[in-house]
């Protein structure tokens, strides 16, 4: 985030006369920063806070966090400004006290998908699943899996990815939340444009135990619920 080492690397790129390729190489070196900042933002509920407040500063956002760390506004501002450079958030500057300026942040059309919508769902749980330690640990075995064979996830955890949740209640909850939220958002988007279901009153995904209710042919209101047991296709009348 603007360290001396990054500035020195940037200068070297321009000296080599191959600035674009060199800058892209540096971007790849630091590419893990963005998803980790995204994950931290989700854990702190920053997207929901920003959406609620409209266009807050880092200090205003920090005041809505559970504990009052005096360094939190400064740390949040660095995180949020990073997100704005990737167009995750919008950022504008206004005059502050003592001739200083304050950055103000707001939700973009893209980041609204990380804010809980009227149905209480978003893509945040899906990102939390991808960034979960269970999945992240698997990457450490990718090289060995290529050389020795096998699947990275299985090498680390001793089972397939779809079997592992039965052994880990915490991860099972993370996995189900991600699938539920992702499915509800995507199915709702499909029903906004696809008219093939207009004569149906109910659709059931028997594999993932997801029920979608369709109100009428002109207006679609979707909801999903994790059923207690699988629903057989022949029970749909």
């Amino acid at each position: 985030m603007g360290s001396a080492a990054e500035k020195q690397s940037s200068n070297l790129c321009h000296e080599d006369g191959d600035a674009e390729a060199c800058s892209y190489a540096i971007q790849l070196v630091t590419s893990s920063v963005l998803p980790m900042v995204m994950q931290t933002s989700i854990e702190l509920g920053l997207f929901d806070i920003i959406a609620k407040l409209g266009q807050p500063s880092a200090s205003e956002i920090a005041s809505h966090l559970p504990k009052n760390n005096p360094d939190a506004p400064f740390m949040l501002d660095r995180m949020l400004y990073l997100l704005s450079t990737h167009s995750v958030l919008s950022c504008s500057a206004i005059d502050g006290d003592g001739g200083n300026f304050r950055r103000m942040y707001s939700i973009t059309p893209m980041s609204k998908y990380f804010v809980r919508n009227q149905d209480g769902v978003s893509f945040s749980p899906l990102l939390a699943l991808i960034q979960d330690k269970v999945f992240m640990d698997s990457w450490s075995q990718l090289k060995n899996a290529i050389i020795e064979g096998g699947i990275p996830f299985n090498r680390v955890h001793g089972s397939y990815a779809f079997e592992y949740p039965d052994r880990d209640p915490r991860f099972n909850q993370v996995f189900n939340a991600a699938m539920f939220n992702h499915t509800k958002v995507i199915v709702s988007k499909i029903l906004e444009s696809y008219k093939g279901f207009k004569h149906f009153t109910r659709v059931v995904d028997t594999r993932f135990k997801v029920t979608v209710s369709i109100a009428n042919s002109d207006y679609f209101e979707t909801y999903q619920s994790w059923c207690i047991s699988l629903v057989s296709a022949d029970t749909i009348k």
Side-chain angles (χ1 to χ4, degrees):
M1 297 186 188
S3 66
E6 289 174 340
K7 292 178 181 178
Q8 183 179 9
S9 297
S10 178
N11 291 334
L12 289 174
C13 284
H14 289 287
E15 290 176 1
D16 290 340
D18 196 10
E20 184 175 353
C22 183
S23 296
Y24 183 48
I26 295 174
Q27 181 181 346
L28 290 180
V29 169
T30 59
S31 60
S32 63
V33 174
L34 177 60
M36 297 309 298
V37 170
M38 284 287 295
Q39 173 63 11
T40 300
S41 299
I42 288 170
E43 291 174 347
L44 292 173
L46 300 186
F47 294 113
D48 289 321
I49 293 174
I50 295 171
K52 180 180 179 180
L53 297 180
Q55 194 178 28
S57 66
S59 296
E60 292 169 328
I61 296 169
S63 68
H64 286 72
L65 298 182
K67 293 185 179 180
N68 188 19
N69 170 19
D71 295 327
F74 174 73
M75 299 171 70
L76 286 175
D77 192 54
R78 289 170 65 88
M79 287 175 48
L80 298 173
Y81 186 65
L82 171 71
L83 294 180
S84 71
T85 64
H86 290 273
S87 301
V88 177
L89 295 173
S90 291
C91 176
S92 59
I94 64 172
D95 292 333
D97 297 333
N100 297 320
F101 69 90
R102 290 190 303 160
R103 295 190 183 103
M104 313 298 287
Y105 299 96
S106 58
I107 296 298
T108 64
M110 185 278 287
S111 57
K112 74 177 183 180
Y113 288 101
F114 294 97
V115 177
R116 284 175 291 185
N117 62 18
Q118 67 274 12
D119 296 318
V121 295
S122 72
F123 284 151
S124 291
L126 183 62
L127 189 144
L129 171 66
I130 301 301
Q131 294 293 112
D132 192 90
K133 186 176 185 298
V134 170
F135 274 154
M136 295 299 289
D137 285 350
S138 302
W139 291 104
S140 66
Q141 284 296 315
L142 180 59
K143 181 195 74 172
N144 291 334
I146 293 172
I147 296 173
E148 301 171 2
I151 300 173
F153 188 96
N154 299 7
R155 291 175 64 96
V156 174
H157 301 291
S159 67
Y160 288 99
F162 284 97
E163 297 173 347
Y164 180 82
D166 289 336
R167 299 165 39 195
D168 187 337
R170 182 203 64 81
F171 182 74
N172 186 52
Q173 185 176 4
V174 172
F175 181 85
N176 285 338
M179 296 299 101
F180 176 81
N181 278 258
H182 177 257
T183 299
K184 190 164 186 177
V185 172
I186 294 301
V187 170
S188 296
K189 281 296 181 183
I190 292 173
L191 292 177
E192 287 177 5
S193 57
Y194 178 63
K195 307 304 180 183
F197 291 126
K198 65 180 181 179
H199 298 301
F200 287 76
T201 59
R202 184 177 63 166
V203 177
V204 178
D205 185 329
T206 58
R207 179 178 181 186
F208 292 108
K209 316 174 192 177
V210 175
T211 300
V212 179
S213 285
I214 304 175
N216 54 56
S217 60
D218 297 320
Y219 174 75
F220 298 98
E221 179 181 0
T222 65
Y223 71 91
Q224 285 80 28
S225 60
W226 298 106
C227 302
I228 296 176
S229 59
L230 288 174
V231 181
S232 174
D234 59 12
T235 64
I236 304 176
K237 303 301 183 184

